Amino acid sequence: QAQLVESGGGLVQPGGSLRLSCVGSGYTLDYYVIGWFRQAPGKKREGVSCSSPFDGSTYYVDSVKGRFTISRDTAKNAVYLEMNSLQPEDTAVYYCATVHDCASRQAYGSWGQGTQVTVSS
């Protein structure tokens, strides 16, 4: 019943942009720390970004700083990941998850299906 649903992925050219959405169903996201993760073929899962509604802390992995922005829309019960200047290295399945805090980015709960982001000419 309670789940996070990712959407917004797709095929984009290098230099393009996408906005990923994480919508809570059975969660009120104002009460949860949310992290974005990605996993590319043959690579380990990587924490990309994080947002805490409690202390305002955020996290961005170095490779996306200045290009990605995490934000929240309370009215829509959603957390977004705006991705700009996308590069082929950003190609991965992207997931959102509840995490304990943005410092550790330790996820808990069930993982969803994620949304595929493919950056290619």
Side-chain angles (χ1 to χ4, degrees):
Q1 180 73 323
Q3 59 182 310
L4 301 176
V5 180
E6 305 95 340
S7 64
L11 175 63
V12 65
Q13 295 181 344
S17 299
L18 287 171
R19 189 181 76 165
L20 306 184
S21 296
C22 175
V23 177
S25 177
Y27 295 99
T28 299
L29 297 190
D30 275 351
Y31 294 91
Y32 293 90
V33 183
I34 301 296
W36 281 98
F37 301 81
R38 66 187 181 187
Q39 187 165 25
K43 297 183 179 179
K44 66 179 182 180
R45 187 190 67 194
E46 175 186 40
V48 177
S49 188
C50 180
S51 169
S52 172
F54 304 115
D55 61 9
S57 62
T58 59
Y59 166 84
Y60 299 96
V61 67
D62 286 346
S63 61
V64 310
K65 287 181 179 177
R67 300 190 297 121
F68 291 12
T69 303
I70 191 168
S71 63
R72 292 172 175 264
D73 188 329
T74 299
K76 296 181 179 179
N77 199 30
V79 176
Y80 303 114
L81 186 68
E82 181 73 34
M83 307 186 298
N84 299 312
S85 301
L86 284 163
Q87 301 299 314
E89 298 76 45
D90 298 313
T91 296
V93 178
Y94 284 71
Y95 304 87
C96 61
T98 54
V99 299
H100 289 290
D101 57 76
C102 285
S104 68
R105 300 176 299 284
Q106 184 176 17
Y108 65 93
S110 299
W111 295 93
Q113 294 298 307
T115 185
Q116 176 72 51
V117 172
T118 302
V119 185
S120 179
S121 298

